[in-house]
Amino acid sequence: MKLWRGQPDNWKPQPFTKREMGNVWLAIGAMFLYFAFDAYLGHGTEPTGRWRWLHTIFRSQFGESGDVVLFSIIGTASLVAGAIGYAGKK
């Protein structure tokens, strides 16, 4: 079954390259650094839901700036993973 009109008969989906996955990790890292900046400005709300336990741990360790620290750590780790993936071979 063809998914679009010009699709070849022997087409198989190609996995993402390391560079493309690096771009994804860079975007995720930028998003979490934006969340950290937003939490720093004080626009955050009380955490609820599945990940509340993680916010509670960071708020008990770092006080009101716990969300800033949490999002900064996740964002920085994602940016490092993205830089490593982007610099990898194609």
Coordinates of all heavy atoms in Angstrom, one line a residue:
M1 N 0.8 -1.2 0.0 CA 0.0 0.0 0.0 C 0.9 1.2 0.0 O 1.8 1.4 0.8 CB -0.9 0.0 1.2 CG -1.8 1.2 1.3 SD -3.0 1.0 2.6 CE -2.3 2.1 3.8
K2 N 0.6 2.1 -0.9 CA 1.4 3.4 -1.0 C 0.8 4.4 -0.2 O -0.4 4.5 0.0 CB 1.5 3.8 -2.5 CG 2.2 2.9 -3.4 CD 2.4 3.5 -4.7 CE 3.2 2.6 -5.6 NZ 3.5 3.1 -6.9
L3 N 1.6 5.2 0.5 CA 1.2 6.3 1.3 C 0.9 7.6 0.5 O 0.1 8.4 1.0 CB 2.2 6.6 2.4 CG 2.4 5.4 3.4 CD1 3.5 5.7 4.4 CD2 1.1 5.0 4.1
W4 N 1.6 7.8 -0.6 CA 1.4 9.0 -1.4 C 1.6 8.6 -2.9 O 2.1 7.5 -3.2 CB 2.3 10.1 -1.0 CG 3.8 9.9 -1.2 CD1 4.5 10.1 -2.4 CD2 4.7 9.4 -0.3 NE1 5.8 9.7 -2.2 CE2 6.0 9.3 -0.9 CE3 4.6 9.0 1.1 CZ2 7.1 8.9 -0.2 CZ3 5.7 8.6 1.7 CH2 7.0 8.5 1.1
R5 N 1.1 9.4 -3.8 CA 1.0 9.0 -5.2 C 2.4 8.6 -5.8 O 2.5 7.7 -6.5 CB 0.4 10.2 -5.9 CG 0.1 9.9 -7.4 CD -0.5 11.0 -8.1 NE -1.7 11.4 -7.4 CZ -2.5 12.4 -7.8 NH1 -2.3 13.0 -8.9 NH2 -3.6 12.7 -7.1
G6 N 3.4 9.4 -5.5 CA 4.7 9.1 -6.2 C 5.6 8.2 -5.4 O 6.8 8.1 -5.7
Q7 N 5.1 7.5 -4.4 CA 6.0 6.6 -3.6 C 6.5 5.4 -4.4 O 5.7 4.7 -5.0 CB 5.2 6.2 -2.4 CG 6.0 5.3 -1.5 CD 5.2 4.9 -0.2 OE1 4.0 5.1 -0.2 NE2 5.9 4.2 0.7
P8 N 7.8 5.1 -4.4 CA 8.3 3.9 -5.1 C 7.7 2.6 -4.4 O 7.4 2.6 -3.2 CB 9.8 4.0 -4.9 CG 10.1 5.3 -4.4 CD 8.8 5.9 -3.8
D9 N 7.7 1.6 -5.2 CA 7.2 0.3 -4.6 C 8.1 -0.3 -3.5 O 7.6 -0.9 -2.6 CB 7.1 -0.7 -5.8 CG 6.0 -0.3 -6.7 OD1 5.0 0.3 -6.3 OD2 6.1 -0.7 -7.9
N10 N 9.4 -0.1 -3.6 CA 10.3 -0.7 -2.7 C 10.7 0.3 -1.6 O 11.8 0.2 -1.0 CB 11.5 -1.3 -3.4 CG 12.3 -0.2 -4.1 OD1 11.8 0.9 -4.3 ND2 13.4 -0.6 -4.7
W11 N 9.9 1.3 -1.3 CA 10.3 2.3 -0.3 C 10.2 1.8 1.1 O 9.3 1.1 1.5 CB 9.3 3.5 -0.4 CG 9.6 4.6 0.5 CD1 10.6 5.6 0.3 CD2 9.0 4.9 1.7 NE1 10.6 6.5 1.3 CE2 9.6 6.1 2.2 CE3 8.0 4.3 2.5 CZ2 9.3 6.6 3.5 CZ3 7.7 4.9 3.7 CH2 8.3 6.0 4.2
K12 N 11.2 2.1 1.9 CA 11.3 1.8 3.3 C 11.6 3.1 4.1 O 12.4 3.9 3.7 CB 12.3 0.7 3.6 CG 12.0 -0.6 3.0 CD 12.9 -1.7 3.4 CE 12.4 -2.9 2.7 NZ 12.9 -4.0 2.7
P13 N 11.0 3.3 5.3 CA 11.3 4.5 6.0 C 12.7 4.5 6.5 O 13.3 3.5 6.9 CB 10.3 4.4 7.2 CG 9.8 3.0 7.3 CD 10.0 2.4 5.9
Q14 N 13.3 5.7 6.4 CA 14.7 5.8 6.8 C 14.8 6.3 8.3 O 14.0 7.2 8.6 CB 15.4 6.9 5.9 CG 15.4 6.5 4.5 CD 16.2 5.3 4.2 OE1 17.3 5.0 4.8 NE2 15.7 4.4 3.3
P15 N 15.6 5.7 9.1 CA 15.7 6.2 10.5 C 16.4 7.6 10.5 O 17.1 8.0 9.5 CB 16.6 5.2 11.1 CG 17.4 4.6 10.0 CD 16.5 4.6 8.8
F16 N 16.2 8.3 11.5 CA 16.8 9.7 11.7 C 18.3 9.6 11.7 O 18.9 8.6 12.4 CB 16.3 10.4 12.9 CG 14.9 10.7 12.8 CD1 13.9 10.2 13.7 CD2 14.4 11.7 11.9 CE1 12.6 10.5 13.6 CE2 13.1 12.0 11.8 CZ 12.2 11.4 12.7
T17 N 19.0 10.5 11.2 CA 20.5 10.6 11.3 C 20.8 11.2 12.6 O 20.0 11.7 13.3 CB 21.1 11.4 10.1 OG1 20.6 12.7 10.3 CG2 20.7 10.8 8.8
K18 N 22.1 11.0 13.0 CA 22.5 11.6 14.3 C 22.4 13.1 14.2 O 22.1 13.8 15.3 CB 24.0 11.2 14.5 CG 24.1 9.8 14.9 CD 25.5 9.5 15.4 CE 25.6 8.1 15.8 NZ 26.9 7.8 16.5
R19 N 22.6 13.8 13.1 CA 22.5 15.2 13.0 C 21.0 15.6 13.2 O 20.8 16.6 13.9 CB 23.0 15.7 11.6 CG 22.9 17.2 11.5 CD 23.8 17.7 10.4 NE 25.1 17.7 10.9 CZ 26.1 18.3 10.3 NH1 25.9 18.9 9.2 NH2 27.3 18.3 10.8
E20 N 20.1 14.9 12.6 CA 18.7 15.2 12.8 C 18.3 15.1 14.3 O 17.5 15.9 14.8 CB 17.8 14.4 11.9 CG 17.9 14.7 10.5 CD 17.2 13.7 9.6 OE1 17.0 12.6 10.0 OE2 17.0 14.1 8.4
M21 N 18.7 14.0 14.9 CA 18.4 13.8 16.3 C 19.1 14.9 17.2 O 18.6 15.3 18.2 CB 18.8 12.4 16.8 CG 17.9 11.3 16.3 SD 16.2 11.6 16.8 CE 16.2 11.6 18.5
G22 N 20.3 15.3 16.8 CA 20.9 16.5 17.4 C 20.1 17.7 17.4 O 20.0 18.5 18.3
N23 N 19.5 17.9 16.2 CA 18.6 19.1 16.1 C 17.4 19.0 17.0 O 17.0 20.0 17.6 CB 18.1 19.2 14.7 CG 19.2 19.7 13.7 OD1 20.2 20.3 14.2 ND2 19.1 19.4 12.5
V24 N 16.9 17.8 17.2 CA 15.7 17.6 18.1 C 16.2 17.9 19.5 O 15.5 18.6 20.3 CB 15.2 16.2 18.0 CG1 14.2 15.8 19.0 CG2 14.6 15.9 16.6
W25 N 17.3 17.4 19.9 CA 17.8 17.6 21.3 C 18.1 19.1 21.5 O 17.9 19.6 22.6 CB 19.0 16.8 21.6 CG 18.6 15.4 22.0 CD1 18.9 14.2 21.3 CD2 17.9 14.9 23.2 NE1 18.3 13.1 21.9 CE2 17.8 13.5 23.1 CE3 17.4 15.6 24.3 CZ2 17.1 12.8 24.1 CZ3 16.8 14.9 25.2 CH2 16.6 13.5 25.1
L26 N 18.6 19.8 20.5 CA 18.9 21.2 20.7 C 17.6 22.0 20.9 O 17.5 22.9 21.7 CB 19.6 21.7 19.4 CG 21.1 21.4 19.3 CD1 21.6 21.8 18.0 CD2 21.9 21.9 20.4
A27 N 16.5 21.6 20.1 CA 15.2 22.2 20.3 C 14.6 21.9 21.7 O 14.1 22.9 22.3 CB 14.3 21.7 19.2
I28 N 14.8 20.7 22.2 CA 14.3 20.4 23.5 C 15.0 21.2 24.6 O 14.5 21.7 25.5 CB 14.3 18.9 23.8 CG1 13.3 18.2 22.9 CG2 14.1 18.5 25.2 CD1 13.5 16.7 22.9
G29 N 16.4 21.3 24.4 CA 17.2 22.1 25.3 C 16.8 23.5 25.4 O 16.7 24.1 26.4
A30 N 16.5 24.1 24.2 CA 16.1 25.5 24.1 C 14.8 25.7 24.8 O 14.5 26.7 25.5 CB 16.1 26.0 22.7
M31 N 13.9 24.7 24.6 CA 12.6 24.8 25.2 C 12.7 24.8 26.8 O 12.0 25.6 27.4 CB 11.7 23.6 24.8 CG 10.3 23.6 25.4 SD 9.4 22.1 24.9 CE 10.3 20.9 25.7
F32 N 13.5 23.9 27.3 CA 13.6 23.9 28.8 C 14.4 25.1 29.3 O 14.1 25.5 30.4 CB 14.3 22.6 29.2 CG 13.4 21.4 29.4 CD1 13.2 20.5 28.4 CD2 12.6 21.3 30.5 CE1 12.3 19.4 28.6 CE2 11.7 20.3 30.7 CZ 11.6 19.3 29.8
L33 N 15.3 25.6 28.6 CA 15.9 26.9 29.0 C 14.9 28.0 29.0 O 15.0 28.9 29.9 CB 17.2 27.2 28.2 CG 18.3 26.3 28.4 CD1 19.5 26.7 27.6 CD2 18.8 26.3 29.9
Y34 N 14.0 28.0 28.1 CA 12.9 29.0 28.1 C 12.1 28.8 29.3 O 11.6 29.8 30.0 CB 12.1 28.9 26.8 CG 10.8 29.7 26.9 CD1 10.9 31.1 26.8 CD2 9.6 29.1 27.2 CE1 9.7 31.9 27.0 CE2 8.4 29.9 27.3 CZ 8.5 31.3 27.2 OH 7.4 32.0 27.4
F35 N 11.8 27.5 29.7 CA 11.0 27.3 30.9 C 11.7 27.8 32.1 O 11.1 28.3 33.0 CB 10.7 25.8 31.0 CG 9.7 25.2 30.0 CD1 9.7 23.8 29.8 CD2 8.9 26.0 29.3 CE1 8.8 23.3 28.9 CE2 8.0 25.5 28.4 CZ 8.0 24.1 28.2
A36 N 13.0 27.6 32.2 CA 13.8 28.1 33.3 C 13.7 29.6 33.4 O 13.6 30.2 34.5 CB 15.3 27.6 33.2
F37 N 13.8 30.3 32.3 CA 13.7 31.8 32.2 C 12.3 32.2 32.7 O 12.2 33.2 33.4 CB 14.1 32.3 30.8 CG 14.0 33.8 30.7 CD1 14.9 34.6 31.3 CD2 13.0 34.4 30.0 CE1 14.9 35.9 31.3 CE2 12.9 35.7 29.9 CZ 13.8 36.5 30.5
D38 N 11.3 31.5 32.2 CA 10.0 31.8 32.6 C 9.7 31.6 34.1 O 9.1 32.4 34.8 CB 9.0 31.0 31.8 CG 7.6 31.5 31.9 OD1 7.4 32.7 31.8 OD2 6.7 30.6 32.2
A39 N 10.3 30.5 34.7 CA 10.2 30.3 36.1 C 11.0 31.3 36.9 O 10.6 31.7 38.0 CB 10.7 28.9 36.4
Y40 N 12.1 31.8 36.3 CA 12.9 32.8 37.0 C 12.1 34.2 37.1 O 12.2 34.9 38.1 CB 14.2 33.1 36.2 CG 15.0 34.2 36.8 CD1 15.8 34.0 37.9 CD2 15.1 35.4 36.1 CE1 16.5 35.1 38.4 CE2 15.9 36.4 36.6 CZ 16.6 36.3 37.7 OH 17.3 37.3 38.2
L41 N 11.3 34.5 36.1 CA 10.5 35.7 36.1 C 9.3 35.5 37.0 O 8.7 36.6 37.3 CB 10.1 36.0 34.7 CG 11.1 36.4 33.7 CD1 10.5 36.6 32.3 CD2 11.9 37.6 34.1
G42 N 9.0 34.3 37.4 CA 8.0 34.1 38.4 C 6.6 33.9 37.8 O 5.6 34.1 38.5
H43 N 6.6 33.4 36.6 CA 5.3 33.2 35.9 C 4.8 31.7 36.2 O 3.8 31.3 35.6 CB 5.4 33.4 34.4 CG 5.7 34.8 34.1 ND1 6.5 35.2 33.0 CD2 5.3 36.0 34.7 CE1 6.6 36.5 33.0 NE2 5.9 37.0 34.0
G44 N 5.5 31.0 36.9 CA 5.2 29.6 37.1 C 4.0 29.4 38.1 O 3.6 30.3 38.8
T45 N 3.4 28.2 38.1 CA 2.3 27.9 39.0 C 2.8 26.7 39.9 O 3.8 26.1 39.7 CB 1.1 27.5 38.2 OG1 1.4 26.4 37.4 CG2 0.6 28.7 37.3
E46 N 1.9 26.4 40.8 CA 2.2 25.3 41.7 C 2.1 24.0 40.8 O 1.2 23.7 40.1 CB 1.1 25.2 42.8 CG 1.4 24.2 43.8 CD 2.7 24.4 44.6 OE1 3.0 25.6 44.8 OE2 3.3 23.5 45.1
P47 N 3.2 23.1 40.9 CA 3.2 21.9 40.1 C 2.1 20.9 40.5 O 1.9 20.7 41.7 CB 4.6 21.4 40.3 CG 5.1 21.9 41.6 CD 4.4 23.3 41.7
T48 N 1.5 20.3 39.6 CA 0.6 19.2 39.8 C 0.8 18.1 38.9 O 1.6 18.2 37.9 CB -0.9 19.7 39.6 OG1 -1.0 20.1 38.2 CG2 -1.2 20.9 40.5
G49 N 0.2 16.9 39.1 CA 0.3 15.8 38.2 C 1.4 14.9 38.5 O 2.0 14.8 39.6
R50 N 1.8 14.2 37.4 CA 2.7 13.0 37.5 C 4.1 13.5 38.0 O 4.8 12.7 38.7 CB 2.8 12.3 36.2 CG 3.7 11.2 36.2 CD 3.7 10.5 34.9 NE 2.4 9.9 34.7 CZ 2.1 9.1 33.7 NH1 2.9 8.8 32.7 NH2 0.8 8.7 33.5
W51 N 4.6 14.6 37.6 CA 6.0 15.0 37.9 C 6.1 15.9 39.1 O 7.1 16.6 39.3 CB 6.6 15.7 36.6 CG 6.8 14.7 35.5 CD1 6.0 14.5 34.5 CD2 7.8 13.7 35.4 NE1 6.4 13.5 33.7 CE2 7.6 12.9 34.3 CE3 8.9 13.3 36.2 CZ2 8.3 11.9 33.9 CZ3 9.7 12.2 35.8 CH2 9.4 11.5 34.7
R52 N 5.1 16.0 39.9 CA 5.1 16.9 41.1 C 6.2 16.5 42.0 O 6.8 17.3 42.7 CB 3.7 16.9 41.7 CG 3.7 17.7 42.9 CD 2.3 17.7 43.6 NE 2.4 18.6 44.8 CZ 1.3 19.0 45.3 NH1 0.1 18.8 44.9 NH2 1.5 19.8 46.4
W53 N 6.4 15.2 42.2 CA 7.4 14.7 43.1 C 8.8 15.3 42.8 O 9.6 15.6 43.7 CB 7.5 13.2 43.1 CG 7.9 12.6 41.8 CD1 7.1 12.2 40.8 CD2 9.2 12.3 41.4 NE1 7.9 11.7 39.7 CE2 9.2 11.7 40.1 CE3 10.5 12.4 42.0 CZ2 10.3 11.3 39.4 CZ3 11.6 11.9 41.3 CH2 11.5 11.4 40.0
L54 N 9.1 15.4 41.5 CA 10.4 16.0 41.1 C 10.5 17.5 41.4 O 11.5 17.9 41.9 CB 10.6 15.7 39.6 CG 12.0 16.1 39.0 CD1 13.1 15.2 39.7 CD2 12.1 15.8 37.6
H55 N 9.5 18.2 41.2 CA 9.4 19.6 41.5 C 9.5 19.8 43.0 O 10.2 20.7 43.5 CB 8.1 20.3 41.0 CG 8.1 20.4 39.5 ND1 8.6 21.5 38.8 CD2 7.6 19.6 38.6 CE1 8.4 21.3 37.6 NE2 7.8 20.2 37.3
T56 N 8.9 18.9 43.8 CA 8.9 19.0 45.2 C 10.3 18.8 45.8 O 10.8 19.5 46.7 CB 8.0 18.0 45.8 OG1 6.7 18.2 45.3 CG2 7.9 18.1 47.3
I57 N 11.0 17.8 45.2 CA 12.4 17.6 45.6 C 13.3 18.8 45.4 O 14.1 19.2 46.2 CB 13.0 16.3 44.9 CG1 12.3 15.1 45.4 CG2 14.5 16.3 45.1 CD1 12.7 13.8 44.6
F58 N 13.2 19.4 44.2 CA 14.0 20.5 43.9 C 13.6 21.8 44.6 O 14.5 22.6 45.0 CB 14.0 20.8 42.3 CG 15.0 20.0 41.6 CD1 14.7 18.7 41.2 CD2 16.3 20.5 41.3 CE1 15.7 18.0 40.5 CE2 17.2 19.8 40.6 CZ 16.9 18.5 40.2
R59 N 12.3 21.9 44.9 CA 11.9 23.1 45.7 C 12.3 22.9 47.2 O 12.6 23.9 47.8 CB 10.4 23.3 45.6 CG 10.0 23.9 44.3 CD 8.6 24.3 44.4 NE 8.2 25.0 43.1 CZ 7.1 25.6 42.9 NH1 6.1 25.6 43.8 NH2 6.8 26.2 41.8
S60 N 12.4 21.7 47.7 CA 12.8 21.5 49.1 C 14.3 21.7 49.2 O 14.8 22.1 50.2 CB 12.5 20.1 49.6 OG 13.2 19.1 48.9
Q61 N 15.1 21.5 48.1 CA 16.5 21.7 48.1 C 17.0 23.1 47.8 O 17.9 23.6 48.4 CB 17.2 20.7 47.1 CG 17.1 19.3 47.5 CD 17.8 18.9 48.8 OE1 18.9 19.4 49.0 NE2 17.2 18.1 49.6
F62 N 16.3 23.7 46.9 CA 16.7 25.1 46.4 C 15.7 26.2 46.7 O 15.9 27.3 46.2 CB 17.0 25.0 44.9 CG 18.1 24.1 44.5 CD1 17.8 22.8 44.0 CD2 19.4 24.4 44.8 CE1 18.8 21.9 43.6 CE2 20.4 23.5 44.4 CZ 20.1 22.3 43.8
G63 N 14.7 25.9 47.4 CA 13.7 26.9 47.8 C 12.8 27.3 46.6 O 12.5 26.4 45.7
E64 N 12.4 28.5 46.5 CA 11.5 29.0 45.4 C 12.2 28.9 44.0 O 11.5 28.9 43.0 CB 11.1 30.4 45.7 CG 10.1 30.5 46.8 CD 8.8 29.7 46.5 OE1 8.3 29.8 45.4 OE2 8.3 29.1 47.5
S65 N 13.5 28.9 44.0 CA 14.2 28.8 42.7 C 14.4 27.4 42.2 O 15.2 27.1 41.3 CB 15.5 29.6 42.7 OG 16.4 29.0 43.7
G66 N 13.8 26.4 42.9 CA 14.0 25.0 42.5 C 13.6 24.7 41.1 O 14.3 23.9 40.4
D67 N 12.5 25.3 40.6 CA 12.1 25.0 39.2 C 13.1 25.6 38.3 O 13.3 25.0 37.2 CB 10.7 25.7 39.0 CG 9.6 24.9 39.6 OD1 9.8 23.7 39.9 OD2 8.5 25.5 39.8
V68 N 13.7 26.7 38.6 CA 14.7 27.3 37.7 C 15.9 26.4 37.6 O 16.4 26.1 36.5 CB 15.2 28.7 38.2 CG1 16.3 29.2 37.4 CG2 14.0 29.7 38.3
V69 N 16.3 25.8 38.7 CA 17.5 24.9 38.7 C 17.1 23.6 38.0 O 17.9 23.1 37.2 CB 17.9 24.6 40.2 CG1 18.9 23.5 40.2 CG2 18.4 25.8 40.9
L70 N 15.9 23.1 38.2 CA 15.5 21.9 37.5 C 15.5 22.0 36.0 O 16.0 21.2 35.3 CB 14.1 21.4 38.0 CG 13.4 20.3 37.3 CD1 14.2 19.0 37.5 CD2 12.0 20.1 37.8
F71 N 14.8 23.1 35.6 CA 14.7 23.3 34.1 C 16.1 23.6 33.5 O 16.3 23.3 32.4 CB 13.7 24.4 33.8 CG 12.3 24.0 34.1 CD1 11.4 24.9 34.7 CD2 11.8 22.8 33.8 CE1 10.1 24.6 35.0 CE2 10.5 22.4 34.1 CZ 9.6 23.3 34.7
S72 N 16.9 24.3 34.2 CA 18.3 24.6 33.7 C 19.1 23.4 33.6 O 19.8 23.2 32.6 CB 19.0 25.6 34.7 OG 18.3 26.8 34.7
I73 N 19.0 22.5 34.5 CA 19.8 21.2 34.4 C 19.3 20.4 33.2 O 20.1 19.9 32.4 CB 19.6 20.4 35.7 CG1 20.4 21.1 36.8 CG2 20.1 19.0 35.6 CD1 20.2 20.5 38.2
I74 N 18.0 20.2 33.1 CA 17.4 19.5 32.0 C 17.8 20.1 30.6 O 18.2 19.5 29.7 CB 15.9 19.3 32.1 CG1 15.6 18.4 33.3 CG2 15.3 18.6 30.8 CD1 14.1 18.4 33.7
G75 N 17.7 21.5 30.6 CA 18.0 22.2 29.3 C 19.4 22.1 28.9 O 19.8 21.9 27.8
T76 N 20.3 22.2 29.9 CA 21.7 22.2 29.6 C 22.1 20.8 29.2 O 22.9 20.6 28.3 CB 22.6 22.6 30.9 OG1 22.1 23.9 31.3 CG2 24.0 22.6 30.6
A77 N 21.6 19.7 29.9 CA 21.9 18.4 29.5 C 21.4 18.1 28.0 O 22.1 17.4 27.3 CB 21.3 17.4 30.4
S78 N 20.2 18.6 27.7 CA 19.7 18.4 26.4 C 20.5 19.1 25.3 O 20.8 18.6 24.2 CB 18.3 18.9 26.3 OG 17.5 18.2 27.2
L79 N 21.0 20.3 25.7 CA 21.9 21.1 24.7 C 23.2 20.4 24.5 O 23.7 20.3 23.4 CB 22.1 22.5 25.2 CG 21.0 23.5 25.1 CD1 21.4 24.8 25.6 CD2 20.6 23.6 23.6
V80 N 23.8 19.8 25.6 CA 25.0 19.0 25.4 C 24.8 17.8 24.5 O 25.6 17.5 23.6 CB 25.6 18.7 26.8 CG1 26.7 17.6 26.7 CG2 26.1 19.9 27.5
A81 N 23.7 17.1 24.8 CA 23.4 15.9 24.0 C 23.1 16.3 22.5 O 23.5 15.6 21.6 CB 22.1 15.2 24.5
G82 N 22.5 17.5 22.3 CA 22.3 17.9 20.9 C 23.5 18.3 20.2 O 23.7 18.1 19.1
A83 N 24.4 19.0 21.0 CA 25.7 19.4 20.4 C 26.5 18.1 20.0 O 27.2 18.1 18.9 CB 26.5 20.3 21.3
I84 N 26.5 17.1 20.8 CA 27.3 15.9 20.5 C 26.6 15.2 19.3 O 27.3 14.7 18.4 CB 27.3 15.0 21.8 CG1 28.2 15.6 22.9 CG2 27.8 13.6 21.4 CD1 28.1 14.9 24.2
G85 N 25.3 15.1 19.3 CA 24.6 14.5 18.2 C 24.8 15.3 16.9 O 24.9 14.7 15.8
Y86 N 24.8 16.6 17.0 CA 24.9 17.4 15.8 C 26.3 17.3 15.2 O 26.4 17.3 14.0 CB 24.5 18.9 16.1 CG 24.4 19.7 14.9 CD1 23.3 19.7 14.1 CD2 25.5 20.6 14.5 CE1 23.2 20.5 12.9 CE2 25.4 21.4 13.4 CZ 24.2 21.3 12.6 OH 24.1 22.1 11.5
A87 N 27.3 17.2 16.0 CA 28.6 17.1 15.6 C 29.0 15.7 15.1 O 30.1 15.5 14.5 CB 29.6 17.5 16.7
G88 N 28.1 14.7 15.3 CA 28.4 13.4 14.9 C 28.4 13.2 13.4 O 28.0 14.1 12.7
K89 N 28.8 12.0 13.0 CA 28.7 11.7 11.6 C 27.3 11.6 11.1 O 26.4 11.3 11.8 CB 29.5 10.4 11.3 CG 30.9 10.4 11.6 CD 31.6 9.1 11.4 CE 33.1 9.2 11.7 NZ 33.7 7.9 11.4
K90 N 27.2 11.8 9.8 CA 25.8 11.8 9.2 C 25.3 10.4 9.1 O 25.7 9.4 9.0 CB 25.9 12.4 7.8 CG 26.1 13.9 7.9 CD 26.1 14.5 6.5 CE 26.3 16.0 6.6 NZ 26.2 16.6 5.4

